[in-house]
C-alpha cells in the first residue's frame, strides 16, 4: 500500500522473498548443525520495525496493524512477559529473532522481508494480515511454517501464542 492506494494485485503480482545480505544469512543459527533449534527461547514475541507513528507515515501505514500491535503490547509490562514490540533499530536484530519463539510479520507500505528474517533465524512467523500474501504463495506450505492471526484476534494474541503446544512449535 502506498498512501491509500494498494500496490499489490493478486491477479498479476507475485511476492518474492526479500533479498538479504549474505552475512545475515551466514549468521543464521539454522545453518549450524550443532545448534539446538528446539532450545527454549527467551522471548515469546518479537517485532522490530517502523510503527507508523512518524508523521510521514500517517494512520494508513500498515493498515494500522503495526500501530495496533504496539498499542496492545508495546509497554514495559509486556517486555517483562517476554514481548518486545519496538520501532528502535537494533544492532542485534538477528540475535533477537533467534531468541524468540514467535516473530511478528506485518505489512508496511506493502509486504516486508520479516517473514524471511523470522524463518532464517528459526523464529515462527506470526502473520498479521494486511492484504498481501506471504512469499511464494501456493508453493510454500504456510500453515506448517507460520501462524496467521486475524486482526480481530489481536487483543488475544499473547494467549493465542501461549496456547500453541510445544510439540507444534517444535514441528
Amino acid at each position: 500500500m502506498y498512501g491509500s492506494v494498494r500496490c499489490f494485485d493478486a491477479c498479476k503480482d507475485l511476492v518474492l522473498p526479500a533479498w538479504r545480505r549474505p552475512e545475515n544469512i551466514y549468521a543464521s543459527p539454522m545453518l549450524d548443525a550443532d545448534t539446538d533449534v528446539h532450545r527454549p527461547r527467551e522471548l515469546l514475541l518479537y517485532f522490530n520495525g517502523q510503527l507508523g507513528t512518524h508523521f510521514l507515515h500517517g494512520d494508513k501505514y500498515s493498515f494500522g496493524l503495526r500501530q495496533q500491535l504496539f498499542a496492545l503490547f508495546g509497554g514495559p509490562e509486556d517486555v517483562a512477559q517476554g514481548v518486545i514490540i519496538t520501532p528502535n533499530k537494533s544492532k542485534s536484530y538477528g540475535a533477537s529473532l533467534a531468541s524468540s519463539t514467535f516473530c511478528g510479520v506485518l505489512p508496511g507500505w506493502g509486504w516486508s522481508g520479516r517473514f524471511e528474517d523470522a524463518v532464517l533465524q528459526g523464529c515462527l512467523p506470526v502473520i498479521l494480515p494486511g492484504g498481501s500474501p506471504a512469499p511464494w504463495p501456493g508453493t510454500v506450505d504456510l500453515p506448517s511454517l507460520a501462524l496467521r492471526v486475524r486482526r480481530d484476534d489481536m487483543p488475544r494474541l499473547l494467549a493465542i501464542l501461549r496456547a500453541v503446544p510445544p510439540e507444534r512449535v517444535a514441528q
Side-chain angles (χ1 to χ4, degrees), residues 18-28 31 117 120-121:
W19 182 84
R20 290 294 175 250
R21 300 179 71 81
E23 57 268 22
N24 294 349
I25 295 169
Y26 298 140
S28 170
L31 296 177
D117 292 341
L120 183 63
Q121 299 300 331

Side-chain angles (χ1 to χ4, degrees), residues 35-91:
T35 299
D36 179 8
V37 294
H38 302 298
R39 74 193 185 291
R41 294 179 180 236
E42 299 168 26
L43 298 174
L44 175 67
L45 175 65
Y46 181 76
F47 178 80
N48 177 217
Q50 291 292 329
L51 296 174
T53 53
H54 189 272
F55 72 92
L56 292 176
H57 292 143
D59 61 353
K60 292 181 174 39
Y61 180 70
S62 78
F63 306 98
L65 285 164
R66 293 180 182 205
Q67 298 90 323
Q68 183 179 1
L69 184 69
F70 183 70
L72 289 167
F73 307 112
E77 67 279 1
D78 299 302
V79 173
Q81 295 184 65
V83 177
I84 296 178
I85 310 298
T86 180
N88 301 324
K89 290 189 178 192
S90 170
K91 291 182 181 178

Side-chain angles (χ1 to χ4, degrees), residues 1-14:
M1 185 163 169
Y2 186 76
S4 61
V5 178
R6 288 185 181 266
C7 57
F8 177 82
D9 180 348
C11 292
K12 64 176 181 65
D13 296 330
L14 176 66

Side-chain angles (χ1 to χ4, degrees), residues 18 30 38 47-48 77 97 124 127 141:
M30 302 303 286
H38 302 298
F47 178 80
N48 177 217
E77 67 279 1
L97 292 172
L124 299 172
I127 300 171
D141 182 16

Side-chain angles (χ1 to χ4, degrees), residues 8 13-17 105 111-112 115-116 119 125 127 129 131-143 145-146 148:
F8 177 82
D13 296 330
L14 176 66
V15 178
L16 299 175
V105 176
W111 189 255
S112 76
F115 181 88
E116 295 90 333
V119 170
I127 300 171
S132 296
W136 302 110
T139 304
V140 173
D141 182 16
L142 202 59
L145 183 63
R148 279 194 183 270

